[in-house]
């Protein structure tokens, strides 16, 4: 690997990065986290301007990109759905050309993967995918960093995902696990099993890394041998009309005290990209409770607030890992061989 290996690249999917590159980025994020904790400046993006495009709401991704930019010495400019012409009066291509002529890097959170790909193709600056309907690659850096912080390694671990099998987070988890040599098991109902193209791609990476990739309809079978258990929302933004069916299909996959009692590793950890619907204390969750008669969805309070939970460390790691990808692809820094 040379010092130019990351410069000018995009992060649209982890599939575009090798195992060594992803491990280097995670290690760099650990270093940046240490610098942050010790108040040591790390202004690798001094003077740069970063556009933060959000078609969807966000807490972690927006906060992480914003604080990461500021710590790196860059100026973050939030351009929300209601603020700019994109999608209403202006095409993605034209927006890409305009923003690329003014900004040094672009983050995009939106619906279509093609849109983040078009921004990357036409802007001329690094583009980072802050979530599309297909993938959530910046989330992956934080998730696997959190696993590495706890276990000291990634290769050979087993990650069990108990959740809706067709969403962006599951797609990215399956692909990234396969690249990194992490055994991956997806427990999901037959009706919601992962896209065969994603499974095929993951199997291809797994053949190189030695990971095993498995899909099951049995959540107990999935968690029994797991080191980390991950879950995610049963219905994404835009899928609210499917709630009744999702509650029926997904209830057996809820990560609760009974399910986690089957995990054999006493040192297991719980991960969730957040926000999580673990009680009915939010406006949104109370509506689901009133309409569908359930107090929690994908996980319960006794799991997310347990000693095994690393969700909030995982959320903090969004900032450190986003710093790492922005600094590596855009910053003026020396990246040694790995
Ligand atoms: N995990 C995640 O992407 O959180 P936000 O939707 O709050 O950005």
């Amino acid at each position: 690997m040379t010092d130019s290996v990351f410069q000018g690249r995009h992060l649209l999917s982890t599939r575009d990065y090798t195992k060594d590159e992803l491990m280097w980025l995670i290690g760099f994020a650990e270093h940046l986290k240490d610098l942050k904790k010790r108040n040591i400046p790390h202004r690798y993006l001094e003077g740069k301007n970063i556009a933060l495009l959000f078609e969807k709401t966000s807490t972690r991704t927006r906060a992480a990109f914003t604080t990461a930019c500021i710590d790196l010495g860059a100026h973050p400019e939030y351009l929300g759905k209601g603020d700019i012409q994109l999608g209403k009066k202006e095409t993605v291509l034209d927006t890409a050309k305009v923003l690329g002529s003014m900004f040094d890097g672009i983050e995009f959170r939106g619906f279509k993967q093609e849109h983040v790909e078009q921004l990357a193709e036409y802007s001329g600056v690094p583009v980072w995918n802050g979530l599309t309907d297909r993938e959530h690659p910046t989330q992956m850096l934080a998730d696997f960093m959190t696993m590495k912080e706890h276990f000291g390694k990634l290769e050979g671990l087993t990650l069990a995902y108990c959740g809706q099998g067709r969403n962006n987070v599951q797609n990215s988890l399956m692909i990234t696990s396969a690249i990194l040599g992490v055994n991956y098991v997806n427990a999901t109902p037959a009706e919601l099993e992962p896209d065969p193209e994603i499974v095929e791609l993951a199997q291809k990476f797994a053949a190189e890394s030695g990971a095993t990739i498995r899909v099951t309809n049995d959540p107990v079978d999935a968690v029994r041998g797991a080191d980390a258990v991950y879950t995610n929302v049963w219905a994404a933004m835009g899928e609210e009309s499917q709630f009744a069916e999702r509650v029926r299909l997904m209830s057996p996959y809820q990560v609760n005290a009974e399910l986690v009692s089957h995990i054999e590793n006493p040192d297991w950890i719980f991960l969730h990209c957040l926000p999580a619907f673990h009680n009915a204390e939010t406006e949104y969750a109370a509506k689901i409770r009133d309409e569908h008669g359930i107090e929690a969805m994908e996980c319960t309070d006794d799991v997310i607030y347990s000693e095994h939970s690393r969700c909030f460390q995982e959320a903090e790691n969004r900032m450190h890992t986003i710093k790492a990808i922005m600094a590596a692809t855009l910053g003026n820094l020396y990246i040694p061989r790995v």
Side-chain angles (χ1 to χ4, degrees):
M1 199 177 287
T2 71
D3 60 350
S4 64
V5 116
F6 292 104
Q7 280 290 307
R9 285 173 67 180
H10 311 290
L11 177 62
L12 308 182
S13 165
T14 51
R15 70 182 73 189
D16 301 325
Y17 284 75
T18 66
K19 177 180 177 180
D20 283 351
E21 289 168 350
L22 293 174
M23 291 304 292
W24 190 91
L25 288 167
I26 289 169
F28 186 38
E30 289 170 342
H31 170 66
L32 293 171
K33 185 172 184 174
D34 185 46
L35 295 182
K36 173 78 174 175
K37 300 287 178 198
R38 292 194 284 139
N39 288 317
I40 297 172
H42 39 284
R43 296 172 70 84
Y44 294 118
L45 296 185
E46 191 80 61
K48 307 279 191 202
N49 293 309
I50 308 297
L52 306 180
L53 266 62
F54 281 82
E55 288 183 338
K56 291 181 171 181
T57 55
S58 165
T59 296
R60 277 143 291 273
T61 310
R62 178 176 176 179
F65 268 99
T66 303
T67 51
C69 282
I70 294 166
D71 281 355
L72 290 169
H75 171 83
E77 187 66 30
Y78 179 79
L79 302 170
K81 186 176 164 60
D83 300 328
I84 59 172
Q85 316 286 11
L86 177 65
K88 293 182 288 288
K89 291 185 181 171
E90 195 154 34
T91 62
V92 179
L93 191 156
D94 293 358
T95 305
K97 285 181 174 292
V98 172
L99 294 183
S101 71
M102 300 179 192
F103 288 93
D104 301 289
I106 299 171
E107 178 277 350
F108 174 80
R109 165 171 287 205
F111 293 91
K112 294 187 176 170
Q113 182 75 15
E114 304 93 88
H115 287 175
V116 77
E117 287 170 2
Q118 274 185 294
L119 285 170
E121 186 172 356
Y122 297 108
S123 67
V125 299
V127 171
W128 309 291
N129 179 355
L131 178 145
T132 64
D133 287 353
R134 197 185 77 187
E135 289 194 47
H136 200 358
T138 60
Q139 181 71 51
M140 294 305 108
L141 295 174
D143 296 347
F144 287 92
M145 175 181 175
T146 309
M147 286 176 67
K148 183 166 176 278
E149 284 180 324
H150 184 79
F151 295 107
K153 64 168 192 175
L154 289 175
E155 201 169 81
L157 294 177
T158 296
L159 172 61
Y161 172 87
C162 287
Q164 207 272 81
R166 288 190 187 154
N167 65 30
N168 42 19
V169 170
Q170 121 66 35
N171 292 344
S172 292
L173 283 173
M174 185 179 263
I175 292 166
T176 313
S177 294
I179 296 169
L180 293 174
V182 173
N183 303 315
Y184 182 78
V185 51
N186 174 317
T188 199
E191 295 87 338
L192 296 171
E193 285 185 2
D195 180 346
E197 274 184 37
I198 298 290
V199 180
E200 194 180 328
L201 179 65
Q203 296 287 13
K204 193 165 73 68
F205 284 123
E208 286 171 38
S209 71
T212 58
I213 303 297
R214 205 157 62 84
V215 177
T216 176
N217 305 133
D218 180 351
V220 174
D221 170 49
V223 302
R224 192 173 283 123
D227 300 297
V229 174
Y230 200 119
T231 189
N232 190 13
V233 293
W234 289 349
M237 284 177 258
E239 293 183 327
E240 288 81 358
S241 63
Q242 299 175 39
F243 256 119
E245 194 203 14
R246 289 292 165 82
V247 169
R248 181 179 65 78
L249 290 173
M250 295 305 308
S251 291
Y253 299 85
Q254 183 186 68
V255 181
N256 53 34
E258 200 287 319
L259 181 63
V260 303
S261 72
H262 296 279
I263 302 172
E264 289 169 356
N265 181 356
D267 192 32
W268 68 278
I269 63 170
F270 175 70
L271 298 172
H272 190 308
C273 55
L274 303 179
F277 297 103
H278 52 90
N279 57 35
E281 290 177 15
T282 64
E283 193 181 314
Y284 189 79
K287 186 167 175 285
I288 304 296
R289 177 197 58 200
D290 295 345
E291 289 175 4
H292 303 284
I294 52 168
E295 285 295 327
M297 285 189 273
E298 71 271 13
C299 60
T300 50
D301 279 354
D302 50 12
V303 171
I304 198 167
Y305 295 135
S306 75
E307 60 179 351
H308 295 281
S309 178
R310 295 292 177 277
C311 297
F312 297 101
Q313 179 182 331
E314 182 186 4
E316 178 192 326
N317 286 341
R318 296 295 307 285
M319 177 181 71
H320 306 299
T321 47
I322 281 169
K323 265 185 202 173
I325 188 66
M326 287 200 296
T329 55
L330 184 62
N332 298 316
L333 75 166
Y334 171 64
I335 298 177
R337 288 174 183 275
V338 294

